[in-house]
Amino acid sequence: MTQGVEFNRLMLQMRTMQMEAMGKPQPAKPAEPSVNGPGFDDLLKQAVDRVNELQKTTSELQSGYERGVDGIDLTEVMIASQKSSVAFQAMTQVRNKMVAAYEDIMKMPI
């Protein structure tokens, strides 16, 4: 479930950056104390690592099912495969949004 929270936090940061880049006023945020929390790059790396972990787990389950390992049923393999697929698609969309935001920033006049 923490992956969903991390993804939501990442999307919120991206939307904030997009709004700032577009010049739309942001609602005033209360001052937050400086906390040594993870930065944007750390969150992105964690999300990519989580997608990689899901894909490895899916691959292991698929090969185990194909070899006939006891305790691995088809439904478990299919659910893991769908989780992996959705996570990869979400990560691809985040990448596309980041590239689009970067291109928008590069097009801005100085």
Side-chain angles (χ1 to χ4, degrees):
M1 192 67 199
T2 59
Q3 178 187 7
V5 172
E6 291 171 4
F7 180 75
N8 288 339
R9 188 178 308 138
L10 178 64
M11 290 302 294
L12 180 61
Q13 287 177 347
M14 288 178 58
R15 286 187 186 118
T16 303
M17 290 170 53
Q18 180 184 18
M19 295 298 270
E20 289 174 0
M22 295 174 71
K24 294 183 180 177
Q26 290 286 318
K29 294 182 188 176
E32 295 181 17
S34 178
V35 180
N36 291 337
F40 178 78
D41 58 339
D42 292 332
L43 291 175
L44 187 60
K45 183 179 181 332
Q46 289 172 0
V48 170
D49 289 343
R50 179 67 179 143
V51 170
N52 186 37
E53 180 182 320
L54 283 171
Q55 289 180 337
K56 284 182 181 179
T57 301
T58 300
S59 178
E60 290 170 2
L61 284 173
Q62 287 173 343
S63 64
Y65 180 77
E66 290 169 356
R67 287 185 313 226
V69 174
D70 290 335
I72 299 177
D73 60 353
L74 182 59
T75 57
E76 183 180 359
V77 174
M78 294 306 295
I79 289 172
S81 175
Q82 289 301 311
K83 283 182 182 180
S84 174
S85 175
V86 169
F88 183 76
Q89 289 174 3
M91 183 56 58
T92 302
Q93 291 299 319
V94 169
R95 184 214 51 200
N96 292 344
K97 293 288 184 180
M98 288 178 60
V99 169
Y102 175 78
E103 289 172 349
D104 289 343
I105 290 171
M106 293 307 293
K107 291 177 185 175
M108 288 182 182
I110 295 177

